[in-house]
Amino acid sequence: MYGNHDTETALVPDEGDSERQAEFDALIADDQRIEPRDWMPDAYRRTLIRQVAQHAHSEIIGMQPEGNWITRAPSLRRKAILIAKVQDEGGHGLYLYSACETLGVDREDLLDRLHGGRQKYSSIFNYPALTWADVGAIGWLVDGAAIMNQVALCRCSYGPYARAMIRICKEESFHQRQGFEILHTLAHGTPAQKEMAQDAVNRFWAPALMMFGPPDDASPHSAQSMAWGIKRFSNDELRQRFVDMSVPQAEVLGLSLPDPDLRWNDERGHYDSGELDWDEFARVISGDGPCNAQRMSRRIRAHEDGAWVREAAQAYAAKQAARTLEVAAS
Amino acid sequence: MTQTPQNPAPNPAAGNGSDRRGWPLWEVFVRARRGLAHQHVGSLHAPDAALALQNARDIYTRRSEGVSIWVVPSSAIVASSPQEKDSFFDPALDKAYRHPTFYDIPEGVEHL
Ligand SMILES: [Fe+2]
Ligand SMILES: [Fe+2]
């Protein structure tokens, strides 16, 4: 999902290997899973590496906007929940890096590519979390949109990615609920609290809808990803489902969704919604969002500040291993 | 428990990664509860076995998903090759008599 916004050049079909290709095609046609040691077309491998890596990067960068509120959570209960949620996102990143490595890439390389700006993460995390209500809006809308995408990915044709998604989906539903609860509490509090909740929803609604990626007619690689069973539903299909699901939830919250064109369409059996600002999406993805620079510099600093811990642990492991050898030799 | 080990790439020997850039890779197996076998859940990086276990606990059992964890250096796993899957598993294919459904039993015989 987070990898929907493709920036690389179109994929070229593989030459040769026609027998293995036929076997691969048969597995895909039979809705079977591809496993790490199976032969797979280079383009399939490259597409997955890019998508799973972007997804992993999104999970760990996504720790920042909310992590920013841990020290300012309004109660001990909220604080404990937020710590657990942010820790889960770190865990999601680790499941996904682990899945990505089964495709033959090295974790250090993936981090290098993120830090060097050669791989991207979801545009949504370049928006700031300005108020406590934003933590609620992120849980309800951002995790909600992520779940919609990730549930679809549980049936992805690549086994390790699909299995990581199943784990992640099990953990996500609490994320969305805690966000909904925060907003519900604020929306039923003082007028100022309700206003804060409405303001957060106003700012996060459109960016959350853009998490599903560009409209289908502007999403060039979608068809190939669908043919490979990496994607099971189109960007617009998932976005529509999310809109349909969110409208009644907003009513329960007593908050409005910031789209004057949002209305039920009896004929289609779905809600219609207004155009999204895809120029903004392109700008934010390509580095010009409100927080891109801050997210990257904090990420790189955290990595560099942690270097001594990694080195110390490695030195300790080496020393213990040498001791074990000595004892064995004596 | 039919998953293949995760790591397909040639992997430098685990446990002595001192001149490697990163920590070695470990495969993690979790027993969900007593009575069940350990099942592969994923992999992680750690400098040694003790930290691999601790990281596995933090990454894979945050919600009491397990009562026991194994960590195994990925490089220690030997796997059959998917390329030779037909010839390798061939011997089992023509021995239907190993399955109970192979046998004709007269109508009405019970507990057999
Ligand atoms: Fe997540
Ligand atoms: Fe989440």
Side-chain angles (χ1 to χ4, degrees):
Chain A
M1 62 126 308
Y2 292 129
N4 276 348
H5 26 76
D6 284 347
T7 48
E8 294 186 14
T9 47
L11 306 164
V12 256
D14 285 32
E15 307 283 337
D17 260 324
S18 55
E19 195 181 313
R20 286 162 159 196
Q21 174 79 49
E23 244 173 69
F24 173 87
D25 291 343
L27 285 174
I28 296 285
D30 195 26
D31 205 12
Q32 300 265 346
R33 297 292 176 267
I34 306 300
E35 294 295 343
R37 289 159 51 86
D38 289 336
W39 181 89
M40 59 189 91
D42 278 346
Y44 177 84
R45 188 186 295 276
R46 280 202 310 272
T47 299
L48 272 167
I49 289 174
R50 188 183 59 233
Q51 177 168 338
V52 180
Q54 286 187 359
H55 198 159
H57 300 329
S58 301
E59 299 286 351
I60 63 167
I61 295 287
M63 297 167 79
Q64 290 187 32
E66 291 173 289
N68 192 31
W69 279 93
I70 289 175
T71 55
R72 291 174 287 167
S75 70
L76 194 54
R77 176 178 181 271
R78 296 286 185 205
K79 184 174 185 163
I81 291 170
L82 190 56
I83 290 173
K85 196 232 180 217
V86 172
Q87 189 192 13
D88 271 355
E89 304 301 3
H92 296 174
L94 293 173
Y95 304 154
L96 287 161
Y97 283 123
S98 151
C100 200
E101 281 182 292
T102 67
L103 292 157
V105 282
D106 189 69
R107 186 167 316 199
E108 302 278 318
D109 286 339
L110 294 175
L111 288 176
D112 281 351
R113 288 185 218 178
L114 170 66
H115 298 160
R118 278 167 290 135
Q119 277 178 342
K120 304 202 181 299
Y121 54 88
S122 179
S123 61
I124 190 77
F125 300 116
N126 291 316
Y127 294 87
L130 300 174
T131 69
W132 172 251
D134 286 16
V135 176
I138 290 172
W140 178 44
L141 296 173
V142 176
D143 287 85
I147 292 170
M148 187 62 74
N149 269 315
Q150 291 173 157
V151 165
L153 284 170
C154 289
R155 288 180 52 231
C156 169
S157 62
Y158 187 58
Y161 191 29
R163 292 194 285 276
M165 280 303 119
I166 291 169
R167 284 191 84 81
I168 287 176
C169 284
K170 277 189 197 150
E171 303 185 1
E172 284 289 358
S173 55
F174 119 67
H175 296 182
Q176 197 187 14
R177 281 182 173 219
Q178 62 89 37
F180 188 87
E181 192 194 70
I182 288 172
L183 286 181
H184 193 265
T185 305
L186 290 173
H188 294 81
T190 66
Q193 287 172 330
K194 181 165 184 179
E195 199 179 311
M196 187 195 276
Q198 183 63 59
D199 172 63
V201 170
N202 289 350
R203 280 180 290 110
F204 275 93
W205 174 247
L209 292 186
M210 290 195 246
M211 287 172 67
F212 295 96
D216 293 347
D217 51 20
S219 180
H221 305 315
S222 279
Q224 179 58 271
S225 280
M226 298 271 257
W228 275 328
I230 294 175
K231 258 175 109 130
R232 299 289 183 167
F233 303 95
S234 80
N235 297 354
D236 286 335
E237 268 176 285
L238 291 173
R239 187 167 17 245
Q240 179 72 62
R241 274 192 215 175
F242 183 69
V243 170
D244 291 346
M245 189 185 86
S246 301
V247 173
Q249 292 176 356
E251 278 163 20
V252 174
L253 287 174
L255 299 173
S256 63
L257 295 171
D259 179 356
D261 299 324
L262 190 66
R263 67 179 57 87
W264 179 253
N265 182 328
D266 230 352
E267 221 165 280
R268 294 201 309 125
H270 290 290
Y271 283 92
D272 290 336
S273 53
E275 278 295 309
L276 293 163
D277 183 355
W278 293 108
D279 292 337
E280 174 184 318
F281 180 76
R283 273 198 312 278
V284 175
I285 271 286
S286 60
D288 207 13
C291 298
N292 299 54
Q294 182 191 329
R295 300 288 184 245
M296 282 311 293
S297 72
R298 184 164 298 177
R299 170 67 211 136
I300 292 168
R301 183 155 37 91
H303 189 69
E304 286 170 354
D305 288 352
W308 72 270
V309 178
R310 294 190 292 277
E311 283 158 20
Q314 199 141 336
Y316 179 78
K319 190 172 88 179
Q320 293 302 112
R323 262 193 206 157
T324 313
L325 280 181
E326 259 170 51
V327 171
S330 64
Chain B
M1 181 70 212
T2 54
Q3 295 162 12
T4 47
Q6 295 262 312
N7 182 35
N11 204 38
N16 63 345
S18 51
D19 44 14
R20 259 198 89 215
R21 221 153 72 87
W23 291 343
L25 192 63
W26 303 73
E27 300 299 325
V28 181
F29 301 80
V30 171
R31 183 199 297 287
R33 48 171 206 278
R34 292 179 175 280
L36 296 180
H38 286 75
Q39 183 166 18
H40 185 242
V41 292
S43 63
L44 54 78
H45 288 267
D48 58 28
L51 272 177
L53 267 182
Q54 239 174 67
N55 290 353
R57 179 203 59 193
D58 293 343
I59 298 170
Y60 292 104
T61 62
R62 283 196 304 283
R63 287 172 173 77
S64 320
E65 291 95 336
V67 295
S68 161
I69 300 176
W70 291 348
V71 288
V72 180
S74 303
S75 58
I77 291 183
V78 181
S80 65
S81 156
Q83 265 83 62
E84 58 187 46
K85 67 173 191 300
D86 292 337
S87 55
F88 192 69
F89 295 105
D90 234 6
L93 291 181
D94 58 356
K95 296 179 183 61
Y97 46 83
R98 283 176 172 163
H99 298 279
T101 47
F102 179 78
Y103 299 91
D104 292 324
I105 302 297
E107 199 72 29
V109 180
E110 284 179 47
H111 310 299
L112 192 68

